[in-house]
Structures are given as structure tokens and as C-alpha cells.
Amino acid sequence: MNILFASSEAVPFIKSGGLADVAGALTKAVRNRGHACRVVLPLYDQIPDEMRAGMKFITYFNTPLAWRNQYCGIFEKTEKNVKYYFLDNEYYFKRGNIYGFYDDAERFAFFSRAVLEMINHIDFIPDIIHCNDWQTALIPVYLESLYGLNDRFRNIKTVFTIHNVAYQGAFDTSVMQYVLGLPESANHIVEYNGACNYMKGAIEQCDALTTVSPTYAGELMDSWFAHGLDPLLQTKEHKLRGILNGIDTKSYDPSTDPALTKNYSVQNLKHKAPNKAALQEEMGLAVDPAPVLIGMVTRLASHKGLDLVTAAFEQIMELPVQLVVLGTGEAQYQDFLREQADNYPGRMSVYIGFDEGLARKAYAGADVFLMPSQSEPCGLSQMIAMRYGAIPIVRLTGGLADSVHDFGGEGGNGYTFARYDPWDMLDAIKRAQSDYQNPDLWQEQVKAAIQCDFSWSRSAGEYIGLYQQLMGLHDDR
Ligand code: GLC
């Protein structure tokens, strides 16, 4: 099968969140199963020079966008067996950031339209275009309304994956006329609740709709989670499927990870201890194996559950624990955490920013990993934490509910709580702290977590099955 994976970010070229990890790892897994899987990305200014080395210019073409006709260059580069295309237009992509501009509606309408135009200029006709989040949501809409009769495009099927329904790409309706350039009869496809909503268009037009965990697929039917799209999603439930993400277990491997002070695996878990000491030292905490070291690597946003942490903060710190938080985000949380680091010197420490190496050290050094999200479509950090033997404490929502099971039941690999409530979270932390006093029990629990399999092999098979189903092929996973 020929699969073109359209994304606004992908590891190792450009990353702002979990979508980049999925784009980098899923495509590699699909490719390794013998399918021609290629990726297309915008050629952002932020892609580092060393990743640009070896990019080859293929050709250029013009992309129509309402009254505009914009230059688009195509570059290509093969990374770990997967061919990447990069679409170049400096006006749109040579900016100080990858998202967050007044004309994001235009920038990603351009990208989506250019992905389709590109197919006229490369030696690859996809059977499937797999689109992700609002930035590529117009691809199924353009395909259906402008390209469907063309021979090269006639048989292409589309998959659209919702990584987070909170970000829909909803803009003023004037975008329809001044930016999109759809036939007027097609404007209703993107119109929703008085806005021009890109994600809504994809949900309408895609051949298959997926999201990143089975529990989140169910939650999307509910107005508490769906940010206004629930009435529409309820009518599309028949084509929606939740497929749990995996992680790149080669890249995230404590037995080889060069960022760690000492490598370890389930066979020599005692080598995890020097990583705890190193993290304590680097973060300015008392170097001491006795307190439970709680780690958090997170965006500092309310849906990540930061309000529970701030509400129960004093009570958490009354326990014999240390806390390390790495992340950036909303000023109120940054300020709160900085202040607490001053209040609890040697016991609480915060790094505002994103540093991949330090994040890996935190997974390796922490005893437990706290992720009390209000909503979490999938979540990758809890899986990485388990891979590094840091036991997760999570709220049961979305992919957290599908990947973490409480030690109280069968197949336990973490601590869970159900209600979005600071005291229920505190209870789970207390249970972890109390179990930590029993080294034999703790060792068994760390083993249970570290041995969980979150590799992409299972989920890649599910996507391949879906692609085959769309093409009317026998599912031969
Ligand atoms: C989004 C979601 C996160 C998910 C990631 C990859 O960032 O918020 O839960 O893991 O996408 O699908």
C-alpha cells in the first residue's frame, strides 16, 4: 500500500507535542511492515541545520488559495527508511514559531492544498492520505470538492486522526471566502456553529476517523470532553475508532539511552538508583534515596491537571516526598511552581522549559510519575515513565485509563484515581508513598511497570488493518 502521512510536525525534524512523536514512530513502524509510507511536513525555519543536511530539492509548483497563487517548493529526505517531503514557502513557514500567527488559517490551508497539488509532481500516488489534527484537516475537504474527478486522485482514501479535540482550527467565516477558495456549494462542509471549523470539515469528509485511545473515542461523544463537536461526532460514531498510540521503544530505552547517568534494565534495576541521585543533584534537591521522588514532565496547562496539584500542594509536601517538575506553559502555574521551589528548598524543584535530555533524566530518576490530567486523548509520558521504571499516578481518563491499571486489581502497573478531585489524587500519592516503604513490594511493582509493552507494533497493525479495509483489501495483518 502507498500511504502519505500528512502532519504539521514529526520527530526528528520538528516537535511541539505528542503528534510529532506519533508521526515519527508510527510511520517508521508501518514502513517496517513493508508498506510504502511517506510523510509530508512544512519546511519550517525551525528545522535545525543538521536535519536539513541531505535534503534534496525536487521541483516547485504553484498552489491556488482563493485569489492567491503561491509558490511551493518540494524537498525530500529519507530518514530511517521513511521518505519525507518538505513543502517550502518562506512567507508562510519562515517565522519565529511554528504556530500562533494571525494568519494560521491561511498558512495551514496553504499546506493542506499544497499536499494535494504535490501529488501531481511526485512519483508517488497514495492509496491513503492519513491526516492529523486541524492543520491538515482541509485535505479531505479539498480532495472531495476539487480533486475527486481527477484520475490521479480518484481512488485516494483519507483517514483523519484527532489527537486533541480542544484544537479545532475554528476561524471567522470570512476565511471561507477569502482564504479557502472552495466551490461555494462546499462551504457548508466547514461551517459549524457560526465559524469556519477545519476539524469539522475533516470529520465530515474523511473515509475513516480515528482518535488516539479507545476511551477517548467514547469521551468524544460527551459534551464535557468534545469542545462543542459532540453533536456532530455522535452522528459519525460509525466511522470512529480509538487506536492507542505507542512509543518509540528504541529511542526510549533505559538500557541504551545516552542521556542517563547509568543505563539499566529490568535485569539490573539497581542501576536505576544512581539516576535518582544524579537528578536530585542536578535539580538541587537533597541527595537521599529515602523520600519518594515524584516527577512531572508536562505542559503547564489546566487540562494537564495542574489545578489539582496546586490545590493539594501543601498536603503533598507534608509527606516524605520530593517533587521535580519540568515544563512550560501558563504564567500562573510557572509562578506558583517557582514560588514553591523557594518555599521548599532541597525538596521541590522546577525547570521552566523543555529539555529533552533533562526529561529523560527525570523519567529515569523519578520513583513515581504524576499525570493527573483533566483530559488526555492518549498521553505518551506515562508510557515513557513506565518504560523507565517510574510508576505512574494518573487520573482515569482517555489514554491514561487505557494504559495504566491500578495495583489494586489484576495486571496492575500504577496508581489511579477516577474523580477530578485533589484529595483523590492525594490519596493515590499516599498509597504510592506507603508502598515505597516496602522495598520488596516496590521492586515487584517497578518490574510490572517496566515490563509493559507500549511499542508501536500492535497499534501499527491496527492502522494497517484500517487502511486495508478502506481499500477493500483483505486485512492481512
Ligand atoms: C495530543 C494529545 C496527547 C496525545 C498526543 C499524540 O498531544 O493531547 O494526549 O498523546 O496528541 O496523539
Side-chain angles (χ1 to χ4, degrees):
M1 280 185 297
N2 286 353
I3 296 119
L4 181 63
F5 195 92
S7 177
S8 56
E9 39 186 285
V11 161
F13 295 98
I14 185 86
K15 169 171 172 174
S16 83
L19 167 61
D21 293 298
V22 172
L26 169 60
T27 52
K28 201 165 68 174
V30 171
R31 175 73 188 85
N32 287 344
R33 283 166 172 243
H35 299 284
C37 185
R38 303 186 179 185
V39 184
V40 56
L41 292 173
L43 185 60
Y44 300 107
D45 198 33
Q46 286 75 11
I47 295 176
D49 284 347
E50 67 270 21
M51 296 311 304
R52 283 174 187 258
M55 279 186 192
K56 203 172 92 202
F57 176 76
I58 306 292
T59 185
Y60 71 93
F61 56 88
N62 277 14
T63 295
L65 209 57
W67 52 269
R68 302 165 192 80
N69 201 23
Q70 306 287 45
Y71 169 90
C72 183
I74 314 175
F75 288 77
E76 69 169 42
K77 179 174 178 176
T78 299
E79 174 72 22
K80 303 244 164 68
N81 258 335
V82 176
K83 187 177 276 191
Y84 280 74
Y85 295 107
F86 298 88
L87 298 187
D88 173 38
N89 177 302
E90 294 197 345
Y91 168 66
Y92 289 127
F93 301 127
K94 193 169 179 173
R95 305 263 180 117
N97 219 328
I98 67 173
Y99 313 129
F101 297 95
Y102 74 97
D103 60 347
D104 278 359
E106 184 180 324
R107 297 171 69 226
F108 290 99
F110 166 79
F111 179 61
S112 296
R113 183 84 195 256
V115 167
L116 292 167
E117 283 294 318
M118 171 184 85
I119 293 168
N120 285 316
H121 301 273
I122 54 174
D123 60 350
F124 186 75
I125 303 183
D127 299 306
I128 306 282
I129 306 182
H130 188 155
C131 311
N132 297 277
D133 278 352
W134 72 267
Q135 293 89 343
T136 50
L138 291 176
I139 293 174
V141 179
Y142 280 132
L143 178 65
E144 186 72 19
S145 56
L146 294 172
Y147 294 80
L149 298 176
N150 180 318
D151 271 350
R152 250 179 125 75
F153 295 83
R154 199 190 305 276
N155 296 320
I156 299 178
K157 302 279 188 230
T158 54
V159 175
F160 180 68
T161 298
I162 300 176
H163 293 262
N164 194 336
V165 79
Y167 308 102
Q168 298 173 5
F171 306 101
D172 191 87
T173 47
S174 62
V175 162
M176 295 190 295
Q177 187 185 349
Y178 296 111
V179 177
L180 301 195
L182 288 168
E184 213 167 304
S185 59
N187 280 339
H188 70 95
I189 298 168
V190 286
E191 196 168 355
Y192 192 67
N193 280 350
C196 171
N197 185 316
Y198 289 11
M199 187 176 269
K200 185 261 183 176
I203 293 168
E204 290 275 3
Q205 293 291 340
C206 67
D207 295 298
L209 180 62
T210 74
T211 189
V212 290
S213 69
T215 296
Y216 194 61
E219 289 170 347
L220 285 177
M221 301 299 122
D222 187 317
S223 60
W224 201 76
F225 290 96
H227 293 263
L229 281 178
D230 40 303
L232 171 71
L233 284 162
Q234 283 161 14
T235 68
K236 304 293 174 194
E237 200 178 357
H238 59 280
K239 64 174 180 182
L240 173 65
R241 193 192 287 192
I243 303 178
L244 192 68
N245 289 332
I247 54 170
D248 186 335
T249 45
K250 264 219 174 99
S251 162
Y252 292 112
D253 182 352
S255 71
T256 56
D257 191 334
L260 306 197
T261 298
K262 182 111 191 144
N263 289 112
Y264 58 93
S265 67
V266 69
Q267 279 82 33
N268 56 9
L269 272 177
K270 62 175 189 301
H271 291 158
K272 185 170 160 57
N275 291 288
K276 178 170 177 178
L279 180 66
Q280 287 171 323
E281 184 160 351
E282 181 162 356
M283 297 300 293
L285 303 177
V287 179
D288 179 0
V292 180
L293 180 46
I294 306 173
M296 291 185 81
V297 178
T298 180
R299 253 180 311 124
L300 301 175
S302 95
H303 83 89
K304 291 289 182 184
L306 269 297
D307 296 317
L308 300 191
V309 177
T310 53
F313 201 85
E314 271 177 42
Q315 287 79 358
I316 296 173
M317 295 311 289
E318 276 166 17
L319 304 169
V321 300
Q322 293 180 340
L323 177 63
V324 164
V325 184
L326 314 182
T328 63
E330 294 169 30
Q332 51 162 328
Y333 301 121
Q334 298 189 170
D335 295 346
F336 175 85
L337 293 166
R338 283 199 182 108
E339 195 182 317
Q340 297 305 333
D342 287 342
N343 291 345
Y344 296 95
R347 295 191 55 215
M348 147 60 183
S349 171
V350 58
Y351 174 86
I352 304 292
F354 183 77
D355 176 331
E356 174 77 19
L358 186 57
R360 287 164 180 263
K361 288 178 188 164
Y363 292 119
D367 297 304
V368 297
F369 188 82
L370 181 60
M371 207 165 164
S373 304
Q374 191 171 12
S375 71
E376 195 62 74
C378 176
L380 303 173
S381 312
Q382 80 280 15
M383 299 182 192
I384 302 170
M386 285 187 260
R387 176 102 173 120
Y388 283 69
I391 295 179
I393 301 178
V394 306
R395 191 175 95 79
L396 289 173
T397 184
L400 296 175
D402 294 327
S403 56
V404 183
H405 310 288
D406 198 277
F407 287 122
E410 236 172 81
N413 56 5
Y415 298 92
T416 67
F417 60 101
R419 285 192 312 152
Y420 187 65
D421 179 291
W423 316 121
D424 288 7
M425 177 189 73
L426 183 66
D427 237 37
I429 296 175
K430 282 184 177 164
R431 284 197 287 133
Q433 197 280 322
S434 143
D435 287 350
Y436 184 73
Q437 306 311 312
N438 178 342
D440 291 339
L441 171 67
W442 195 255
Q443 173 96 347
E444 285 316 300
Q445 296 193 158
V446 171
K447 278 190 185 158
I450 207 169
Q451 283 176 313
C452 291
D453 177 9
F454 293 114
S455 65
W456 265 103
S457 45
R458 176 186 35 81
S459 312
E462 278 192 61
Y463 279 107
I464 290 168
L466 176 65
Y467 301 151
Q468 284 169 332
Q469 203 181 322
L470 288 178
M471 290 175 62
L473 295 175
H474 178 64
D475 177 348
D476 68 355
R477 262 176 280 173

